[in-house]
């Protein structure tokens, strides 16, 4: 509005100037400058949208304010749009605040942008409020777009009941359109109950058609609902019904529906009749269907003749060959990404002597200290090692470059040899590097890497009967893949799931409840200062004690969708640290409550055989760094509160301990004490599970000091000491204003 007013003033001034003989008056010149500054500012902000670079957009707004330049509703709306693209809902709300402080009032377009920002960040309640309620509070009337935006937010969060009631409301207000119908049908397609939702989706599609509100987007949403519910014949019928001209998405959905039933010939015919290039997802499904039918020649031909090199279809093609017993040259299927993995291979081969497994592992760790790699190293490696028993058949989902697979092989050797590790990896470059490293380490008899989706390998029935399953691929898939694996699990099987707390696997946590005996190991994340993670060790309960899997709570589904979204986004674009932190702050209390209520969090040390456990009440000298939220180093006297053959649990007072470590000499003194404690623990032949108490009676995060090597201990201690100092002096992260992390990011940018 302000921009429109400015432009109106500008053109009036211009007209006056023309009538006065063509010369510009001073006021006209000023108006022109204002208008052109505004245009420039808005254009600069809009340029950030593609990358979702919201800190830059906010910085541009701030810079304009600093220079005393005018900012109007259009510029603020553009900034909110960029925030929506970057899923930065807090930043979007900051834009609203700033707009109001300028004396401007938001319009419907801005409310929709704010709603979209919340929707993109899986904040569906906020999105609903901003798109509809807040609009009404401002005495504005929501339009069809407001409803569509609210519905798509609820749909993304799997709130399908809410979506359907919003559709009814929109219909009663005469505001339903193709967008609202598409949102409702998409919600049904995404519903956990898609098996029964497809009928409802078809009805809505007919309703939309009758009201002349059906378009290709609504049509495709209906096809997707049918595809997800495995209704391939109904999907084919709808495609042929002639109501709408199908596009590449329509063909790909139906082809995917057929491919799910391994009807690859039908799927191929559909994709071939599509005039535009079918989606990569559809082609990937087709090639996988060919793989399941062992039609590897057709898979290879399709991949070759459709120019699919370097695309996501490559992994499926490589899998189709491997599952048929062939060993394709993985380099052919590798895309250009994977520079880091190839550099790692070169690094290790230059430094570790061939055939020395131990040296290879060390060099991978060494490399990971310079360039971050997503490895289960450090304390996680100790948990992994402790789970293994002599002769175990290990199945790992998520091999990456083979670090944890090699660790498992090393442990099996230490346990007397025998056993085997099979590890699945989706990415051909990572799988290729893993194979090369395994061969270099001389462990190719013990470790086998399979390229392709874990679910495809499980469905192929070629993974044997594992004793130990390591889940380290994609948190949102753990429960489905484990469910498919269950019939193949050996007696006394153990399942070790990594990354359950960070980035998080809420659906898995819900899946194992009542079906597995669960222990949570809380461990520091490798090379991620201050971040704790959970490794879950799960043993299947006896058939009679086992409950059938209950549907996950809605909150868990929402959180899982958000974790997936951030992980997905981080593979192709920058995800700001604040976004991860915010997600973690939402996720952690929910998962902790769930695990605490079931008594899973009383961490059990996986190491067994403590020869002479101290009796309860014994005093032990301890020091350890708490790498959780509090970020304090502790040098403390502790009391043994429990001792079992597998565990020594101690309690220490954090406040006392923290006070000890203020100077460097105190830090080194504390380090010495920690070394003593470590020695004491090892002397007893066991593992210390350390607890600290922040409030009397309240036990929180645990660390496992005796797992840590002295050099690492020293680093941890010093780092934690510094951060403890920083948080004491600067107020700490926990108490910060809602928008602090965004502000910092803006300043950084
Ligand atoms: C965290 S890394 C694994 C790290 C490895 N376990 C280690 O500690 O050395 C996860 C890997 O899983 C792979 N992945 C993701 N989804 C997958 C799937 N559905 N099937 C197989 N591998 C998958 C990714 O490509 C990635 O390399």
């Amino acid at each position: 509005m302000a921009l429109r007013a400015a432009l109106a003033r500008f053109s009036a001034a211009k007209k006056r100037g023309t009538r006065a003989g063509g010369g510009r008056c001073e006021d006209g010149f000023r108006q022109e400058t204002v208008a052109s500054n505004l245009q420039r500012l808005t254009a600069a902000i809009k340029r950030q949208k593609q990358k979702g670079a919201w800190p830059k957009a906010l910085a541009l707004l701030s810079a304009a304010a600093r220079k005393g330049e005018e900012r109007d509703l259009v510029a603020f709306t553009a900034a909110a749009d960029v925030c929506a693209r970057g899923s930065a809902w807090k930043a979007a709300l900051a834009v609203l605040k700033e707009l109001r402080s300028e004396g401007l009032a938001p319009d419907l377009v801005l409310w929709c942008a704010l709603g979209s920002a919340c929707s993109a960040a899986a904040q569906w309640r906020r999105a609903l409020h901003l798109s509809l309620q807040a609009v009404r509070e401002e005495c504005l009337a929501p339009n069809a777009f407001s409803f569509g935006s609210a519905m798509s937010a609820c749909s993304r969060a799997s709130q399908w009941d809410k979506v359907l009631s919003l559709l009814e409301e929109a219909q009663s207000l005469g505001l339903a359109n193709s967008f609202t119908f598409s949102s409702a049908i998409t919600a049904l397609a995404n519903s956990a109950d898609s098996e029964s939702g497809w009928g409802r989706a078809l009805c809505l599609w007919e309703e939309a058609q009758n009201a002349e509100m059906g378009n290709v987007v609504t049509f495709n949403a209906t096809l997707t609902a049918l595809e997800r519910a495995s209704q391939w014949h109904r999907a084919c019928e709808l495609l042929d019904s002639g109501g709408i001209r199908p596009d590449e998405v329509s063909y790909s959905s139906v082809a995917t529906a057929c491919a799910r039933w391994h009807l690859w010939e039908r799927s191929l015919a559909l994709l071939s009749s599509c005039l535009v290039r079918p989606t990569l997802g559809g082609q990937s499904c087709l090639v996988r269907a060919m793989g399941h039918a062992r039609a590897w020649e057709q898979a290879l031909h399709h991949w070759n003749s459709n120019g699919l090199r370097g695309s996501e279809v490559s992994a499926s093609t490589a899998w189709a060959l491997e599952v048929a017993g062939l060993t394709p040259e993985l380099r052919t299927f590798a895309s250009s990404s994977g520079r880091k993995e190839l550099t790692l291979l070169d690094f290790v081969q230059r430094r570790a002597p061939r055939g020395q497994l131990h040296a290879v592992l060390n060099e991978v760790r060494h490399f990971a200290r310079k360039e971050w790699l997503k490895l289960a190293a450090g304390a996680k490696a100790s948990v992994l090692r402790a789970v293994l028993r002599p002769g175990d058949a290990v199945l790992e989902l998520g091999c990456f470059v083979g670090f944890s697979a090699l660790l498992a092989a090393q442990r099996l050797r230490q346990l007397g040899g025998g056993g085997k590790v099979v590890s699945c990896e989706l990415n051909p470059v990572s799988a290729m590097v893993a194979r090369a490293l395994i061969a270099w380490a001389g462990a190719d008899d013990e470790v086998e890497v399979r390229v392709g989706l874990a679910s495809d390998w499980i469905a192929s029935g070629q993974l044997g009967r594992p004793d130990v399953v390591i889940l380290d691929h994609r948190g949102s898939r753990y429960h489905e893949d484990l469910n498919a694996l269950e019939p193949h699990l050996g007696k006394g099987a153990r399942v070790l799931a990594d990354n359950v707390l960070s980035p998080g696997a809420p659906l898995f946590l819900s899946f194992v409840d009542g079906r597995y005996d669960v222990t949570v190991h809380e461990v520091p994340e490798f090379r991620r200062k201050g971040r704790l993670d959970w490794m879950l060790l799960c043993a299947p309960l006896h058939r009679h004690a086992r409950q059938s899997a209950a549907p996950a709570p809605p909150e868990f589904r929402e959180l899982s969708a958000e974790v997936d979204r951030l992980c997905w986004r981080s593979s192709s674009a920058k995800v700001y640290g604040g976004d991860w932190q915010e997600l973690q702050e939402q996720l952690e209390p929910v998962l902790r409550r769930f695990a605490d209520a079931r008594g899973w969090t009383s961490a059990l040390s996986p190491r067994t055989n403590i020869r002479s456990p101290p009796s309860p009440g014994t005093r032990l000298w301890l020091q350890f760094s708490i790498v959780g939220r509090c970020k304090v180093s502790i040098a403390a006297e502790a009391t043994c509160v429990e001792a079992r053959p597998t565990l020594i649990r101690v309690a220490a007072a954090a406040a006392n301990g923290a006070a000890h470590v203020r100077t460097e000499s105190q830090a080194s003194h504390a380090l010495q004490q920690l070394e003593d404690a470590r020695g004491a623990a090892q002397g007893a032949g066991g593992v210390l599970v350390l607890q600290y108490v922040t409030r009397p009676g309240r036990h929180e995060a645990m660390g496992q000091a005796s797992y840590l090597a002295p050099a690492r201990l020293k680093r941890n201690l010093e780092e934690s000491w510094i951060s403890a100092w920083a948080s004491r002096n600067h107020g700490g992260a926990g108490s910060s204003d809602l928008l602090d992390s965004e502000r910092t990011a803006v300043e950084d940018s």
Side-chain angles (χ1 to χ4, degrees):
M1 270 190 307
L3 176 64
R4 255 177 266 137
L7 283 172
R9 281 201 304 275
F10 168 56
S11 52
K14 202 170 169 195
K15 272 189 205 146
R16 278 201 307 276
T18 315
R19 270 201 297 274
R24 277 192 195 133
C25 67
E26 208 175 294
D27 188 39
F29 181 73
R30 204 188 74 78
Q31 303 290 358
E32 190 178 350
T33 315
V34 168
S36 77
N37 280 349
L38 274 172
Q39 273 171 349
R40 228 177 323 112
L41 173 65
T42 309
I45 293 175
K46 281 185 175 166
R47 277 198 293 278
Q48 309 310 319
K49 186 166 175 181
Q50 179 67 15
K51 286 188 264 165
W54 56 268
K56 180 82 183 144
L58 264 57
L60 285 165
L61 272 184
S62 309
R66 270 199 306 276
K67 285 191 241 155
E69 287 175 3
E70 196 170 318
R71 303 174 303 169
D72 68 351
L73 182 60
V74 180
F76 280 107
T77 307
D81 258 344
V82 179
C83 296
R85 182 64 183 236
S87 312
W89 69 273
K90 285 187 191 170
L93 292 186
V95 170
L96 174 67
K97 203 167 155 192
E98 187 96 352
L99 171 104
R100 289 198 195 278
S101 72
E102 203 94 320
L104 296 170
D107 65 358
L108 264 187
V109 184
L110 179 60
W111 283 118
C112 282
L114 298 174
S116 303
C118 293
S119 163
Q123 298 282 329
W124 69 273
R125 286 188 191 81
R126 281 197 172 87
L128 199 59
H129 174 82
L130 292 168
S131 305
L132 295 174
Q133 207 173 315
V135 167
R136 286 177 174 137
E137 282 164 11
E138 296 272 321
C139 301
L140 295 167
N143 59 14
F145 197 73
S146 318
F147 271 96
S149 140
M151 287 167 70
S152 77
C154 297
S155 166
R156 286 171 99 137
S158 316
Q159 300 292 326
W160 39 92
D161 290 346
K162 196 87 209 145
V163 176
L164 295 180
S165 72
L166 283 170
L167 177 66
E168 270 174 29
E169 192 183 338
Q171 282 176 309
S172 70
L173 293 170
L175 291 176
N177 64 8
S178 53
F179 182 37
T180 47
F181 271 106
S182 306
S183 300
I185 298 174
T186 305
L188 288 167
N190 291 343
S191 82
D193 204 11
S194 57
E195 290 290 305
S196 57
W198 65 267
R200 193 79 204 272
L202 265 182
C203 290
L204 283 183
W205 162 246
E206 273 165 25
E207 240 181 88
Q209 281 277 77
N210 293 338
E212 296 190 353
M213 287 174 191
N215 62 11
V216 73
V217 182
T218 333
F219 184 62
N220 289 344
T222 316
L223 288 173
T224 306
L226 294 171
E227 176 233 307
R228 300 251 167 98
S230 305
Q231 297 289 325
W232 66 269
H233 46 291
R234 286 201 167 77
C236 290
E237 264 169 38
L238 183 61
L239 188 73
D240 291 340
S241 63
I244 282 280
R245 189 153 160 220
D247 66 4
E248 70 276 20
V249 179
S250 330
Y251 280 105
S252 302
S253 288
V254 185
T256 303
C258 297
R260 275 185 200 280
W261 284 85
H262 301 174
L263 301 168
W264 67 265
E265 288 96 339
R266 195 180 273 262
S267 177
L268 179 62
L270 278 162
L271 290 187
S272 310
S273 57
C274 176
L275 295 177
V276 197
R277 188 183 163 92
T279 63
L280 288 177
Q283 307 217 46
S284 198
C285 263
L286 165 66
V287 169
R288 287 167 51 217
M290 290 167 164
H292 282 290
R294 304 291 181 270
W296 63 268
E297 280 161 313
Q298 285 84 349
L300 192 58
H301 175 73
H302 183 83
W303 177 75
N304 253 329
S305 54
N306 285 279
L308 295 167
R309 269 163 203 270
S311 74
E312 64 188 69
V313 189
S314 301
S316 308
T317 313
W319 171 77
L321 296 176
E322 290 217 343
V323 81
L326 302 165
T327 36
E329 170 56 69
L330 285 186
R331 194 174 284 276
T332 328
F333 297 94
S335 59
S336 54
S337 67
R339 182 201 56 80
K340 200 173 6 175
E341 290 88 330
L342 292 167
T343 313
L344 165 75
L345 176 61
D346 180 55
F347 179 87
V348 175
Q349 289 182 335
R350 274 189 289 109
R351 298 167 59 113
R354 191 191 275 267
Q356 291 195 15
L357 173 51
H358 180 74
V360 168
L361 284 169
N362 270 345
E363 292 308 332
V364 176
R365 281 192 201 95
H366 198 128
F367 183 89
R369 272 186 210 118
K370 295 194 191 114
E371 281 207 60
W372 186 71
L373 297 175
K374 45 193 175 179
L375 308 175
K380 288 189 168 185
S382 305
V383 177
L384 168 63
R385 272 198 294 265
V387 169
L388 300 182
R389 293 183 198 146
D392 270 340
V394 180
L395 170 63
E396 179 180 60
L397 307 185
C399 176
F400 189 40
V401 291
F403 177 80
S404 49
L406 279 172
L407 263 180
Q410 185 191 42
R411 181 68 185 146
L412 289 174
R413 278 187 194 176
Q414 287 164 355
L415 290 170
K420 171 125 194 162
V421 184
V422 173
S423 186
C424 300
E425 173 53 52
L426 171 64
N427 184 328
V429 191
S430 305
M432 181 177 81
V433 170
R435 279 182 187 161
L437 284 177
I438 289 161
W440 193 261
D444 30 12
D445 283 345
E446 297 134 279
V447 188
E448 203 181 301
V449 178
R450 306 271 177 95
V451 70
L453 273 177
S455 53
D456 282 333
W457 277 112
I458 296 168
S460 77
Q462 293 186 15
L463 296 176
R465 285 185 82 71
D467 302 304
V468 175
V469 178
I470 300 169
L471 300 172
D472 194 11
H473 55 318
R474 189 168 149 197
S476 61
R477 298 242 10 135
Y478 284 1
H479 62 299
E480 287 174 14
D481 288 341
L482 180 58
N483 192 30
L485 257 178
E486 276 178 358
H488 308 283
L489 291 186
K491 199 160 169 255
R494 284 139 284 151
V495 178
L496 183 65
D498 193 8
N499 303 323
V500 177
L501 185 65
S502 168
L507 296 181
F508 177 73
L509 208 64
S510 156
F511 174 78
V512 292
D513 183 27
R515 313 182 74 246
Y516 286 78
D517 186 21
V518 181
T519 310
V520 173
H521 291 277
E522 183 153 308
V523 282
E525 187 70 84
F526 179 62
R527 302 277 302 144
R528 280 277 184 265
K529 207 176 103 195
R531 207 192 277 179
L532 283 177
D533 192 7
W534 284 358
M535 293 182 98
L536 250 64
L537 178 57
C538 313
L541 290 174
H542 191 273
R543 239 170 348 112
H544 303 302
R546 174 180 277 231
Q547 297 163 13
S548 51
E555 193 177 14
F556 279 37
R557 286 203 301 269
E558 252 179 75
L559 287 167
S560 173
E562 179 58 2
V563 171
D564 229 22
R565 189 187 62 80
L566 268 198
C567 290
W568 181 251
R569 205 147 66 87
S570 68
S571 63
S572 57
K574 182 169 169 53
V575 174
Y576 295 94
D579 290 353
W580 284 117
Q581 193 184 329
E582 189 188 307
L583 172 63
Q584 217 51 45
E585 279 166 11
Q586 279 181 52
L587 187 82
E588 195 175 320
V590 177
L591 299 197
R592 270 189 200 285
R593 260 198 311 277
F594 190 84
D596 282 347
R598 287 151 183 82
W600 292 348
T601 36
S602 53
L604 177 70
S605 160
R607 278 257 293 268
T608 53
N609 191 23
I610 293 175
R611 286 189 298 275
S612 52
S615 44
T618 309
R619 283 179 132 198
L620 296 167
W621 271 105
L622 300 172
Q623 50 198 32
F624 49 91
S625 49
I626 303 294
V627 282
R629 280 183 229 160
C630 300
K631 291 185 182 164
V632 287
S633 299
I634 300 174
E637 229 179 297
T639 311
C640 171
V641 290
E642 190 188 353
R644 285 192 251 143
T646 52
L647 162 91
I648 303 174
R649 193 190 298 284
V650 297
N656 288 346
H660 281 289
V661 191
R662 282 233 174 87
T663 65
E664 211 168 314
S665 72
Q666 282 169 341
S668 67
H669 175 63
L671 184 67
Q672 185 54 48
Q673 288 179 334
L674 182 53
E675 276 295 282
D676 294 347
R678 200 170 73 89
Q682 277 178 347
V687 173
L688 281 174
V689 177
L690 305 178
Q691 288 194 334
Y692 72 100
V693 182
T694 48
R695 265 184 271 138
R698 179 153 175 239
H699 293 247
E700 281 191 315
M702 281 156 260
Q704 293 174 331
S706 60
Y707 284 146
L708 305 175
R712 189 168 155 72
L713 276 179
K714 186 165 189 298
R715 206 177 47 248
N716 267 2
L717 195 71
E718 283 165 0
E719 281 172 3
S720 302
W721 173 64
I722 291 164
S723 54
W725 177 85
S727 65
R728 266 198 304 273
N729 286 285
H730 304 295
S735 62
S736 59
D737 176 293
L738 196 72
L739 296 167
D740 258 359
S741 54
E742 272 77 10
R743 287 218 183 95
T744 316
V746 173
E747 280 156 19
D748 286 351
S749 81

